[in-house]
Amino acid sequence: MNKKLVLLGVVAVLFCTAFVRAEEDSAATEDATKVEDDIGKSRDASKTDDETVQKEEEAIKIDGLNVAQVKELREKAEKHVFQAEVNRMMKLIINSLYKNKEIFLRELISNASDALDKIRFLSLTDKAALGENTELTIKIKADKDNRALHITDTGIGMTKQDLINNLGTIAKSGTSDFLAKLGDAQSAVEMTDLIGQFGVGFYSSFLVADRVVVTSKHNDDEQYIWESDSTSFSVVKDPRGNTLGRGSQISLYLKEEAADYLEGDSIEDLVKKYSQFINFNIYLWKSKTETVEEPIDEDEAKDEADKKEEKKDEPKDEKKDDDDEAKVEEEKEEDKPKTKKVEKTTWDWELVNSNKPIWTRKQSEIEDKEYSEFYKSFSKDSEDPLAKAHFVAEGEVTFRSILFVPKANPPEVFSNYGSKRDYIKMYVRRVFITDNFEDMMPKYLSFVRGVVDSDDLPLNVSRETLQQHKLLKVIKKKLVRKTLDMLKKIGKEDYEKFWKEFSTNIKLGVMEDHTNRTRLAKLLRFNSSNSDKETTSLADYLERMKEKQDAIYFMAGSSRAEVEKSPFVERLLKKGYEVLYLIEPVDEYCIQSLPEFEGKKFQNVAKEGLNIDGSEKTKEQFSELRKQYEPITTWLSENALKDKIEKAVVSERLTTSPCALVASSYGWSGNMERIMRAQAYAKAKDPSQEFYSEQKKTLEINTRHPLIKELRRRVEADQGDQTAKDLAVVMYETATLRSGYNLKDTSGFAGRIERMLRLSMDISLDEKIEEEPEEVEDDDDDSKEEVNADSDDGDDGDKKTEEKTAEETDDKEKPSEAKDTPIEEKTEDKSDTQEKVDESSETKKDEL
């Protein structure tokens, strides 16, 4: 019996072994078959055609449908080909029309806003239009796993025919066409048919996406799916049914280089840049990490309980009171639910356009605090604005605008004067278009910040830039006038702050803006002889003018002290006339660009044409005075200063100064000459500058001054008197400096002043300057050279070494003698050197 059992066991073992080998052979065969089937395929390098097709099929994933269902959906879909002009426009859009790819999101949000506008408009007459879904929102969600960006709205949606017509033809109802048709609409029904339909802006999606899927549900039709790869498109009924309720969802399957648009921060920045003032709420699917308390599992609770028990078993030396307190605390802890702090990531819809367009509200409904917050939000300024203007312009073009004046001028405003500024932002129907407008505001008002929102502006096909249209010029004209009116209404205290920061801008405006020159002139402020501290306006100056004063007097210089002491204002101030002090470099340019103000011309008191006393009696007295001094004026212009002045005349404007140089009406004053010569790009011998600077001036003399009287006496006695000629030249040169001009011969002027000083101090003109004694060479240097020469003769290195060794031996044997010997040698050397120095000095004395 036992033998039979053993035999059966052996047979069983052999049978099991054969069965296992058969399974291994079959597995090997299957592996070999798989290897053969997989030849030529690569998962990391080149891919075969069937793999590519498979990955393309898996690329588009629609929520609720698997790959097989999507594939079946495509097979059943109606295939359409874009019109020829659409294909051409596609290439134009993708390759060159849009400069910035990021505007695709602006276009899609704008389209969604249009769709929401339409359903809201329809709901006013048809309350059932909204149905159960009364929420009017735009939601954006990024799917990084599938590299897809979804933009969903609850707008009007599109029917199947709308998808074919509006997305298959170019600019069927684009924004530019929409605005034109909106004006021609005869009824409200026609108007609603134009709002919220897609136009050319939709095709900007292909800037960042390889494939676009549009899912849309209209109240009058089923839900349909539109899909395109920019070459053709297909439309098919959505097998999932009505998942949207109402509205549209655009799914962009982004290119690899556009992956950045899947980041939440990038999307949020784009929304805030372009669409933050859309009327409808825009939500973004975002994540945030929070620290929350969660209940502890039973296993964890047991572990903690065990740890506490271990701690209890440890020996303790605390007092009884401490033990009681610990027990009470443990009882309290046991009563509380056991939790732990955990960092948890939550996803939720976050509102990204919280700022609302306050310019659409009435001014009476907005508080100053709201204006300040709005200004800070878009200008990034930390301070409140100095002034504001909120208005609605109507007429040839209608637009709303809010303009602000900051408290401080940008530091680089004049170093980069004329460069592009982005302080005025242009919106069309609350959609940001651009801030790159060189002509929206003139250069001198580049500091003004604000927004302009218009519904009347025509847009080009890209909706990115505005066409060159006359409406833009109308907007600019109204903006400038509203800005000047705003500045005019600023209070006195605030205007002083404004003038301190922006005075140069207004003066440049007088020079550049001829159309608004009169308005700008009313904003000007200048220093005046009427007040040492406050500036004055031209209107206030006119109120203080004297009855027979026919001009506004001004004097230009580098500082107030300079113009107050100028010889040109002496007689005017003495007679009580007010003089404007132009002490900034741009002031004289500004006044020259302003021919008159309210009928009164400007008179530069440093130029010809000044007429102070206009009475007949004064004119007769002045005529007699000119006849008396005609000999000296003739002598000055034809003899003493023949090549230096145009003519010499008796002055009406001088009281204390002996004479002054007066420029012609069209010549340069001393201040203007100084400014022109200080230009950074001025040439050394510029012909235009040479023409003005070389013009001869008129020398006006003060007949009541003692120097002029003495000069007249000398000239009448002897016209060839050299002292009289020198006096005339020195007076001319001092008048040149006093009048603000530069001297050409400064060394000659210094020499004449020195000559006059010699005469005034009774020093002979022939007395020469004492000559300096010749420098004596340093004797120590000669002695050093001789000593060095003696030491160099016949001294070899070996001898020095032997002498040094011998001296050291002698020093050891005879220390006293060794100490005396070098002292005697030094004394002899010094006496020899002194004799040589004495001989050389005697020789030099004889030579002198």
Side-chain angles (χ1 to χ4, degrees):
M1 186 69 182
N2 291 333
K3 292 182 179 179
K4 290 181 180 180
L5 291 173
V6 172
L7 182 62
L8 287 173
V10 172
V11 172
V13 170
L14 292 173
F15 178 77
C16 292
T17 306
F19 181 75
V20 170
R21 286 182 180 177
E23 284 187 346
E24 288 178 355
D25 293 341
S26 62
T29 306
E30 288 178 3
D31 293 340
T33 305
K34 286 183 180 179
V35 171
E36 290 176 359
D37 292 341
D38 204 33
I39 291 175
K41 293 186 177 182
S42 172
R43 286 171 173 74
D44 298 326
S46 62
K47 296 177 176 58
T48 58
D49 293 339
D50 57 337
E51 282 184 304
T52 304
V53 172
Q54 184 181 355
K55 288 199 174 290
E56 287 180 355
E57 290 175 352
E58 295 176 355
I60 306 304
K61 294 182 180 179
I62 300 175
D63 293 340
L65 298 177
N66 56 36
V67 177
Q69 290 174 325
V70 171
K71 187 176 180 181
E72 182 182 356
L73 194 68
R74 288 179 177 172
E75 291 174 354
K76 293 180 179 179
E78 295 180 12
K79 305 295 190 299
H80 297 268
V81 179
F82 283 113
Q83 293 180 350
E85 61 267 23
V86 176
N87 280 327
R88 290 195 295 269
M89 182 53 68
M90 286 287 192
K91 294 178 182 178
L92 181 62
I93 289 173
I94 296 171
N95 297 324
S96 60
L97 186 60
Y98 289 97
K99 296 178 182 177
N100 297 323
K101 292 184 178 182
E102 64 185 23
I103 56 87
F104 81 93
L105 190 59
R106 181 194 74 186
E107 296 297 324
L108 297 180
I109 292 176
S110 300
N111 288 335
S113 176
D114 291 342
L116 292 167
D117 272 330
K118 183 174 182 181
I119 194 63
R120 183 172 61 177
F121 192 92
L122 289 176
S123 66
L124 297 177
T125 55
D126 183 8
K127 294 183 179 179
L130 288 177
E132 296 180 358
N133 189 3
T134 58
E135 184 183 28
L136 301 179
T137 59
I138 302 170
K139 293 183 177 180
I140 305 172
K141 184 177 182 180
D143 183 1
K144 292 184 179 180
D145 296 335
N146 297 315
R147 210 162 64 202
L149 183 65
H150 307 286
I151 298 97
T152 308
D153 66 78
T154 57
I156 189 64
M158 285 180 285
T159 63
K160 176 183 177 182
Q161 198 59 38
D162 290 337
L163 290 170
I164 296 172
N165 294 339
N166 296 339
L167 302 187
T169 58
I170 183 167
K172 175 75 177 180
S173 47
T175 305
S176 58
D177 196 32
F178 159 74
L179 292 174
K181 289 183 179 180
L182 190 62
D184 299 333
Q186 301 296 325
S187 65
V189 176
E190 291 180 8
M191 192 177 295
T192 56
D193 289 338
L194 295 172
I195 303 176
Q197 295 174 342
F198 287 80
V200 176
F202 166 74
Y203 298 118
S204 63
S205 304
F206 291 103
L207 290 170
V208 296
D210 292 320
R211 187 175 291 270
V212 178
V213 176
V214 178
T215 307
S216 189
K217 172 66 175 70
H218 192 278
N219 288 337
D220 299 337
D221 204 348
E222 301 292 336
Q223 183 167 308
Y224 281 85
I225 297 175
W226 180 96
E227 184 178 350
S228 174
D229 59 355
S230 79
T231 57
S232 62
F233 67 93
S234 62
V235 181
V236 66
K237 185 178 178 181
D238 195 339
R240 298 170 298 177
N242 184 6
T243 59
L244 295 176
R246 186 193 64 252
S248 299
Q249 182 184 68
I250 303 174
S251 301
L252 307 180
Y253 293 88
L254 302 182
K255 302 175 183 178
E256 290 185 4
E257 62 269 19
D260 185 55
Y261 297 118
L262 294 173
E263 298 296 333
D265 293 338
S266 300
I267 299 172
E268 186 174 358
D269 291 342
L270 291 179
V271 172
K272 289 183 177 180
K273 179 179 179 181
Y274 291 106
S275 307
Q276 65 172 327
F277 298 117
I278 291 289
N279 286 335
F280 304 98
N281 289 337
I282 302 174
Y283 292 96
L284 179 62
W285 186 250
K286 291 189 69 177
S287 65
K288 57 182 179 180
T289 304
E290 297 178 342
T291 302
V292 296
E293 291 188 357
E294 290 186 351
I296 301 176
D297 297 337
E298 294 181 0
D299 296 338
E300 294 181 0
K302 288 181 179 180
D303 293 340
E304 289 188 2
D306 294 340
K307 290 180 181 178
K308 288 181 180 179
E309 289 178 0
E310 290 178 359
K311 288 182 179 178
K312 286 180 181 178
D313 295 339
E314 293 177 0
K316 294 181 180 179
D317 298 330
E318 285 86 356
K319 294 179 180 178
K320 239 183 182 183
D321 296 339
D322 294 342
D323 293 340
D324 295 339
E325 289 178 3
K327 288 180 181 178
V328 172
E329 288 179 0
E330 287 176 3
E331 290 175 359
K332 289 182 179 179
E333 288 179 359
E334 288 177 358
D335 295 339
K336 294 180 181 178
K338 297 178 179 180
T339 59
K340 62 177 180 179
K341 291 183 178 180
V342 179
E343 287 189 354
K344 194 173 183 180
T345 301
T346 58
W347 290 82
D348 199 0
W349 294 107
E350 182 177 315
L351 182 66
V352 291
N353 63 331
S354 56
N355 292 330
K356 298 303 177 184
I358 65 172
W359 63 81
T360 59
R361 295 159 55 189
K362 292 182 180 179
Q363 188 174 357
S364 58
E365 299 175 354
I366 308 173
E367 298 179 357
D368 290 339
K369 185 179 180 181
E370 291 183 80
Y371 280 117
S372 298
E373 290 176 354
F374 173 73
Y375 167 75
K376 292 177 181 178
S377 67
F378 86 92
S379 67
K380 310 306 179 187
D381 195 351
S382 59
E383 297 186 4
D384 293 337
L386 186 64
K388 67 178 183 303
H390 184 186
F391 60 93
V392 179
E394 296 178 343
E396 191 175 355
V397 60
T398 301
F399 65 91
R400 297 174 180 269
S401 178
I402 301 181
L403 301 177
F404 297 95
V405 175
K407 286 187 177 180
N409 215 350
E412 73 285 356
V413 64
F414 294 115
S415 59
N416 297 325
Y417 187 68
S419 59
K420 296 179 182 179
R421 299 283 175 184
D422 57 354
Y423 295 152
I424 301 294
K425 299 183 182 297
M426 171 60 72
Y427 291 82
V428 174
R429 302 177 69 227
R430 275 78 63 200
V431 177
F432 174 71
I433 301 300
T434 183
D435 53 13
N436 185 12
F437 273 113
E438 297 181 24
D439 297 329
M440 182 55 69
M441 290 290 271
K443 291 185 288 186
Y444 69 92
L445 291 179
S446 60
F447 60 87
V448 178
R449 305 180 183 186
V451 295
V452 177
D453 187 6
S454 175
D455 294 345
D456 297 342
L457 286 174
L459 301 176
N460 68 353
V461 291
S462 71
R463 205 180 203 171
E464 185 180 13
T465 56
L466 289 171
Q467 293 174 344
Q468 293 299 323
H469 198 275
K470 63 178 182 179
L471 293 183
L472 279 180
K473 296 181 181 179
V474 175
I475 291 177
K476 175 183 177 180
K477 185 178 180 180
K478 291 187 177 182
L479 286 178
V480 172
R481 290 192 177 180
K482 287 292 183 180
T483 301
L484 298 182
D485 290 341
M486 171 179 57
L487 299 178
K488 188 179 178 181
K489 295 176 182 177
I490 298 177
K492 185 177 180 180
E493 293 183 3
D494 287 338
Y495 195 82
E496 289 179 359
K497 300 176 183 177
F498 167 80
W499 189 250
K500 184 178 180 181
E501 289 290 331
F502 304 102
S503 60
T504 304
N505 294 76
I506 302 302
K507 293 168 186 175
L508 289 172
V510 173
M511 298 161 56
E512 297 173 359
D513 192 352
H514 303 284
T515 305
N516 296 293
R517 184 175 286 166
T518 304
R519 293 183 178 86
L520 288 164
K522 295 178 182 179
L523 300 174
L524 293 173
R525 299 290 186 272
F526 295 105
N527 288 284
S528 165
S529 58
N530 182 65
S531 175
D532 295 337
K533 297 180 180 179
E534 296 183 355
T535 57
T536 184
S537 64
L538 296 178
D540 293 340
Y541 182 95
L542 292 182
E543 292 179 359
R544 295 190 293 265
M545 284 177 63
K546 293 195 172 186
E547 292 183 3
K548 295 183 179 180
Q549 184 179 346
D550 58 354
I552 300 173
Y553 300 128
F554 70 90
M555 176 64 199
S558 59
S559 65
R560 185 184 178 99
E562 179 185 331
V563 294
E564 283 179 336
K565 297 176 182 178
S566 173
F568 300 114
V569 301
E570 292 173 353
R571 190 171 179 82
L572 289 169
L573 297 180
K574 187 176 181 180
K575 287 186 170 290
Y577 289 96
E578 184 177 355
V579 181
L580 298 178
Y581 295 149
L582 312 186
I583 57 176
E584 293 185 5
V586 74
D587 286 352
E588 193 168 355
Y589 287 103
C590 175
I591 293 297
Q592 287 179 356
S593 302
L594 195 64
E596 62 178 23
F597 181 76
E598 296 185 2
K600 297 291 183 180
K601 293 185 177 181
F602 291 88
Q603 174 61 52
N604 190 339
V605 298
K607 291 185 177 182
E608 293 179 343
L610 181 64
N611 186 11
I612 300 176
D613 298 322
S615 62
E616 293 296 329
K617 186 177 181 180
T618 305
K619 289 181 179 179
E620 291 178 3
Q621 293 176 354
F622 188 70
S623 178
E624 291 179 3
L625 195 63
R626 280 189 295 183
K627 289 179 181 179
Q628 294 177 9
Y629 279 83
E630 186 174 358
I632 187 173
T633 56
T634 304
W635 177 78
L636 286 170
S637 57
E638 297 180 359
N639 189 347
L641 304 175
K642 180 180 179 181
D643 299 330
K644 299 180 183 298
I645 62 174
E646 179 68 24
K647 59 182 177 180
V649 297
V650 177
S651 177
E652 272 189 87
R653 66 190 91 202
L654 299 177
T655 56
T656 58
S657 301
C659 55
L661 273 186
V662 179
S664 63
S665 300
Y666 300 100
W668 279 352
S669 64
N671 181 64
M672 183 60 72
E673 183 179 281
R674 175 180 60 83
I675 292 172
M676 295 304 295
R677 290 186 181 278
Q679 296 296 321
Y681 298 102
K683 296 180 181 179
K685 292 184 179 181
D686 190 356
S688 60
Q689 287 196 11
E690 291 291 324
F691 171 77
Y692 287 103
S693 61
E694 295 296 333
Q695 284 184 353
K696 294 180 180 179
K697 280 79 174 177
T698 299
L699 180 69
E700 291 190 2
I701 59 173
N702 182 4
T703 57
R704 293 175 294 279
H705 199 279
L707 285 176
I708 300 300
K709 290 182 177 181
E710 176 63 20
L711 184 63
R712 177 191 174 191
R713 185 186 64 78
R714 286 175 176 269
V715 170
E716 289 178 350
D718 181 12
Q719 290 192 356
D721 188 355
Q722 185 61 37
T723 303
K725 289 184 178 180
D726 290 345
L727 179 62
V729 173
V730 172
M731 288 174 60
Y732 161 77
E733 291 174 333
T734 54
T736 301
L737 295 175
R738 193 188 296 264
S739 303
Y741 296 100
N742 292 325
L743 279 177
K744 294 181 180 179
D745 185 13
T746 54
S747 59
F749 171 70
R752 282 182 283 277
I753 294 295
E754 182 189 339
R755 182 173 181 274
M756 296 181 69
L757 290 173
R758 281 173 175 265
L759 294 175
S760 64
M761 299 176 69
D762 295 330
I763 298 174
S764 174
L765 298 177
D766 298 330
E767 185 173 345
K768 296 181 180 180
I769 301 171
E770 182 180 352
E771 294 184 1
E772 293 183 5
E774 291 187 7
E775 292 185 2
V776 180
E777 294 182 1
D778 194 353
D779 295 338
D780 294 339
D781 294 342
D782 295 341
S783 62
K784 286 179 182 179
E785 290 178 359
E786 291 178 2
V787 170
N788 291 336
D790 293 342
S791 62
D792 290 342
D793 293 336
D795 287 344
D796 296 329
D798 297 338
K799 292 182 178 179
K800 286 182 179 179
T801 305
E802 293 176 357
E803 290 175 0
K804 191 173 182 181
T805 305
E807 287 176 0
E808 289 175 356
T809 306
D810 295 340
D811 288 340
K812 290 178 181 179
E813 294 176 359
K814 299 177 181 179
S816 60
E817 292 180 5
K819 287 180 182 178
D820 294 337
T821 304
I823 294 173
E824 292 176 358
E825 289 177 357
K826 288 180 181 178
T827 306
E828 291 176 1
D829 291 341
K830 283 184 179 179
S831 60
D832 294 340
T833 303
Q834 187 64 36
E835 289 176 1
K836 291 179 181 179
V837 169
D838 294 339
E839 290 176 1
S840 62
S841 61
E842 289 176 2
T843 305
K844 289 180 179 178
K845 284 182 181 179
D846 295 337
E847 290 177 355
L848 290 172

